[in-house]
Amino acid sequence: MKRLDQVLASDGTSAELELVIKDVMVACKDIAYKLGQGDLAGILGTTEDENVQGETQKMLDVISNDLLKDILCANPYVKGVGSEEEDFTIAANNDGKYLVTFDPLDGSSNIDVNLSVGTIFSILEAPADNRPGSEQEVFLQDGRKQVAAGYVLYGPSSLLVMTTGNGVNLFTLDTNIGEFVLTKAQLQVPEDTAEFAINMSNQRFWEPEMKQYIDDCLKGEEGPLGKRYNMRWVASMVAEVHRILIRGGIFMYPYDSRDPSKAGKLRLMYEGNPMSMIIEQAGGASSTGRMDIMDVEPKGIHDRVPVVLGSKNEVAKVVAYHSK
Ligand code: P6P
């Protein structure tokens, strides 16, 4: 089986980008080990702190964030990093070629109940002109500018799914050799589905178009969508996206009225964009409900975005509901 570095080399990935990706993997292998230790290492539970999102930080949120931040800021090819757990972007090496954004431990509310969590990462090229401006501004590039995106799903096995723009490959962490090895090449999202993922408890806060789509799904075979739908909700975007990559489906975290100042719960730069690059590279679609997520122009590193992604024919239906 091919190791990650062998696949990247054969994909024509530059040596510098490969070294950045490999550093992300070094951190993720350590995160996988620490998650596996759980209570034995006394690292479950929460800290006394809240992050910039207003969420109480789990101990493993902080540990994972520090692992990724430290190794990437020491990488000569990294100009800066942005993290869900950091108020501001962090400048690393001024001559660095790449910017890395990440959600160090997505779905961390699942940690204390031993359910799936993941790391999501996105890699952009730093503007060559080194134009003056805040260090944060260089990150504010739309999702189509990503040069790589991926996630590590810490589940029964630790899986890396990533793309550098030549399709999506799946790697499994072989703990005997401590390397991610290629176990599925060129994943393709099934174009159709009858399985939706959404947090139904937020229904009263959704826009009418989203309510109507879900209502029609629940009408089953006799309804306008003409089929019986199944539902899943893991409360971990990485787990939902992985399930969709493997067997199809549609994942939605729509705009809701709980906080009208926010476009949604999920963040554009380190959740929406990387997952959208992966899904589109695998033949799926990813929309806010009204436009492709990767066409959204970011205004800040922690911008939020409504998310509708997965099997392209089902995403098209949801977009159609929003264009009526
Ligand atoms: P809720 C995890 O906190 C996360 O950011 C995503 O991974 C997940 O899809 C969503 O939020 C879960 O949100 O409101 O169901 O807890």
Side-chain angles (χ1 to χ4, degrees):
M1 286 180 177
K2 277 187 172 182
R3 295 191 320 269
L4 172 62
D5 56 321
Q6 293 167 321
V7 173
L8 290 175
S10 62
D11 267 355
T13 303
S14 74
E16 297 92 340
L17 180 56
E18 183 182 333
L19 285 171
V20 174
I21 293 168
K22 284 172 78 172
D23 273 356
V24 174
M25 292 307 110
V26 168
C28 289
K29 285 187 268 191
D30 200 347
I31 293 168
Y33 174 75
K34 285 176 166 54
L35 282 166
Q37 291 297 300
D39 253 341
L40 297 174
I43 51 178
L44 296 185
T46 54
T47 66
E48 300 301 311
D49 304 322
E50 264 191 9
N51 62 17
V52 66
Q53 324 287 342
E55 298 161 343
T56 303
Q57 289 180 307
K58 300 276 188 190
M59 274 193 267
L60 275 164
D61 281 324
V62 176
I63 291 168
S64 304
N65 183 59
D66 290 347
L67 282 168
L68 282 158
K69 180 174 62 172
D70 294 349
I71 196 165
L72 287 170
C73 288
N75 184 310
Y77 302 113
V78 173
K79 184 176 183 73
V81 300
S83 168
E84 173 177 313
E85 303 301 336
E86 297 287 339
D87 295 13
F88 305 101
T89 56
I90 298 166
N93 306 289
N94 197 46
D95 299 330
K97 189 174 171 188
Y98 297 106
L99 303 166
V100 187
T101 63
F102 51 84
D103 179 354
L105 210 57
D106 175 68
S108 54
S109 60
N110 283 341
I111 292 173
D112 296 348
V113 292
N114 202 39
L115 293 177
S116 298
V117 291
T119 296
I120 309 172
F121 65 93
S122 166
I123 303 178
L124 295 160
E125 284 188 342
D129 60 7
N130 257 333
R131 62 176 174 274
S134 83
E135 66 197 28
Q136 176 159 277
E137 276 170 18
V138 293
F139 284 84
L140 303 183
Q141 304 177 42
D142 65 64
R144 305 230 177 264
K145 305 282 193 324
Q146 295 174 103
V147 294
Y151 60 79
V152 175
L153 173 60
Y154 308 105
S157 53
S158 291
L159 303 178
L160 163 66
V161 169
M162 67 164 292
T163 180
T164 54
N166 305 301
V168 178
N169 291 323
L170 166 59
F171 302 82
T172 301
L173 180 60
D174 180 344
T175 50
N176 295 318
I177 60 172
E179 294 288 351
F180 283 99
V181 296
L182 182 68
T183 42
K184 270 196 188 71
Q186 297 301 315
L187 294 178
Q188 285 296 309
V189 181
E191 294 187 350
D192 295 296
T193 187
E195 188 164 74
F196 67 83
I198 196 166
N199 182 336
M200 292 292 282
S201 69
N202 300 326
Q203 194 158 26
R204 63 189 181 283
F205 304 121
W206 298 337
E207 294 178 301
E209 297 85 351
M210 185 53 73
K211 284 181 188 168
Q212 187 60 60
Y213 168 69
I214 294 295
D215 285 351
D216 289 347
C217 287
L218 297 176
K219 287 172 187 160
E221 296 86 342
E222 291 74 43
L225 295 173
K227 57 184 171 181
R228 184 197 174 286
Y229 281 77
N230 188 32
M231 195 203 100
R232 286 286 181 274
W233 191 250
V234 185
S236 167
M237 186 186 196
V238 175
E240 317 274 8
V241 168
H242 191 70
R243 184 188 60 249
I244 288 167
L245 272 171
I246 300 302
R247 73 184 194 208
I250 185 167
F251 167 83
M252 293 158 282
Y253 212 109
Y255 168 81
D256 76 43
S257 58
R258 279 176 289 182
D259 183 343
S261 68
K262 290 179 181 158
K265 174 179 184 182
L266 302 181
R267 276 62 49 147
L268 175 65
M269 296 303 290
Y270 40 81
E271 290 171 322
N273 275 339
M275 292 310 207
S276 298
M277 182 178 185
I278 292 166
I279 286 289
E280 286 199 8
Q281 279 284 316
S286 181
S287 171
T288 64
R290 294 184 169 85
M291 66 182 288
D292 287 0
I293 283 178
M294 287 203 284
D295 291 335
V296 174
E297 281 301 329
K299 299 287 182 296
I301 191 70
H302 297 302
D303 280 5
R304 294 173 185 249
V305 68
V307 177
V308 178
L309 64 76
S311 295
K312 68 176 186 180
N313 294 338
E314 200 66 23
V315 171
K317 289 179 194 167
V318 176
V319 171
Y321 273 77
H322 284 78
S323 53
K324 280 175 187 164

